[in-house]
């Protein structure tokens, strides 16, 4: 007989759209004990998008506990409950893919939805607010620091929280100099196999050594001879490791060529994801930084000062972050527990690393990312992420 879980989820936005976050908790229906919690600050979003992200996180957490379980979802969002129950149409383009992902976590018929009043959804609501508070303070939400269950009136702390306390006590007894709270992503509880995204920047094009802006609105250059050599080198390195189970690529030619070389070596197919394309640099496409500074000084100053500023006719880093985060969530749902190679560009790779670290947008300007370099982020069932690798180029030396 299959297990049954209750998932309570919520999301909020301080501005709608504005700084947003979600929270979700998986409960034992018999005891009411919290079995898993998830929360995350997601940047600027609407209430409804945050609610859907909370639902998705809760379903993933339940799936990590038991993929054969039946799930009863309880939310105070009438919109999400009615749409996921199939009684209302989903018209908003930002919510359709999230709903599709949520339906893919468990087989049809395993999940039911129930609307509850807000006062009965306090645990998830407090998790969402904790995530927003943490995000606006420039730090990630950490399960160990959460008071959501206590503040919501719960009597039993989650198994993960208890395990964290025990691990911290043991570490403190061993050495008073060691930190008591493990960093985010170092969860002492067994959260199952993480989903690992290995991030590969494409090989060089003719524009790469010239340091010219080359985004998704330009000439779509192909790999240079050096770029093809880099692709072969990284393919050999990944084949030696033997961990990649699937390959997803940006639609741009330089990525598809790099991915094709790796796929041929590993015997895998390549799936294309539009969300992994590079920033559209608009009027700056093909120019060097110095040329942009000379021709578009005001635009450049605004762009350097705010993630919401975009080159003329182009795309802001904030917009890129939204679509990259959406692709990330789709991929985590599709490839749960697997290792996936994403062949993409500078901005998407830096964005995924930044989001995993909970770092501010300006951190994008403080990361170096070489052509054909590898980075990696592992994502756990409790919503935490662990950056494993950044800008590794040993295979090119």
């Amino acid at each position: 007989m299959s297990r049954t879980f209750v998932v309570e989820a919520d999301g909020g936005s301080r501005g709608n759209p504005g700084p947003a976050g979600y929270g979700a908790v998986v409960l034992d229906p018999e005891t009411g004990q919290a079995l898993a919690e998830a929360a995350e600050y997601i940047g600027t979003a609407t209430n409804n998008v945050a609610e859907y992200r909370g639902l998705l996180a809760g379903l993933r957490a339940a799936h990590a506990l038991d993929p054969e379980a039946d799930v009863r979802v309880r939310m105070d969002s009438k919109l999400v409950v009615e749409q996921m129950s199939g009684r209302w149409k989903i018209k908003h383009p930002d919510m359709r893919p999230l709903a599709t992902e949520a339906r893919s976590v468990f087989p049809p018929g395993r999940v039911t939805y129930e609307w509850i009043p807000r006062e009965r959804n306090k645990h998830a609501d407090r998790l969402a607010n904790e995530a927003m508070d943490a995000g606006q303070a420039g730090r990630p939400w950490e399960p160990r620091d959460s008071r959501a269950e206590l503040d919501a009136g719960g009597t039993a702390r989650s198994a993960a929280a208890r395990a964290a306390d025990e691990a911290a006590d043991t570490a403190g007894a061993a050495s008073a100099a060691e930190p008591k709270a493990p960093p985010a992503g170092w969860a002492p509880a067994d959260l199952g196999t993480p989903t690992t995204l290995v991030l590969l920047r494409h090989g060089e094009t003719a524009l790469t050594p010239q340091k010219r802006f080359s985004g998704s609105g330009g000439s779509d250059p192909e790999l240079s001879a050096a770029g093809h050599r880099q692709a072969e080198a990284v393919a050999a390195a990944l084949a030696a490791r033997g961990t990649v189970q699937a390959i997803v690529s940006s639609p741009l030619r330089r990525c598809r060529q790099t991915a094709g070389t790796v796929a041929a070596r590993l015997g895998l197919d390549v799936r294309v994801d539009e969300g992994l394309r590079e920033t559209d640099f608009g009027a700056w496409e093909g120019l060097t930084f110095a040329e942009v500074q000379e021709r578009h000084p005001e635009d450049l100053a605004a762009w350097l000062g705010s993630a919401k500023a975009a080159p003329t006719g182009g795309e802001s880093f904030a917009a890129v972050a939204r679509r990259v985060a959406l692709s990330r969530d789709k991929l985590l749902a599709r490839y749960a527990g697997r290792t996936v190679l994403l062949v993409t560009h500078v901005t998407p790779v830096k964005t995924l690393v930044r989001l995993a670290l909970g770092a501010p947008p300006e951190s994008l300007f403080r990361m170096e990312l070489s052509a054909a370099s590898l980075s990696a982020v592992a994502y756990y069932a409790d919503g935490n992420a662990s950056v494993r690798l950044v800008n590794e180029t040993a295979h090119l030396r």
Side-chain angles (χ1 to χ4, degrees), residues 250-334:
S250 155
L252 299 185
R253 180 160 50 176
R254 52 199 182 270
C255 286
R256 287 188 286 107
Q257 289 177 327
T258 304
T261 298
V262 177
R265 186 68 176 261
L266 301 185
L268 297 171
D269 295 326
V270 177
R271 175 183 290 273
V272 172
D273 189 317
E274 289 288 334
L276 298 180
R277 59 185 169 81
E278 180 58 291
T279 308
D280 184 343
F281 292 111
W284 303 359
E285 292 281 356
L287 302 181
T288 65
F289 189 90
E291 289 169 340
V292 171
Q293 196 166 33
E294 179 184 350
R295 301 179 194 182
H296 308 278
E298 293 182 0
D299 279 0
L300 181 61
W303 183 73
L304 292 172
S306 172
K308 296 181 181 179
T312 300
E315 188 178 22
S316 71
F317 281 161
V320 175
R322 286 193 293 272
R323 64 171 165 82
V324 168
L326 185 59
S327 286
R328 174 201 62 191
D329 291 346
K330 288 164 56 179
L331 293 168
L332 293 179
R334 177 183 290 275

Side-chain angles (χ1 to χ4, degrees), residues 227-237 261 265:
H228 281 292
R229 289 194 297 271
Q230 291 167 342
E232 292 286 355
V234 76
T261 298
R265 186 68 176 261

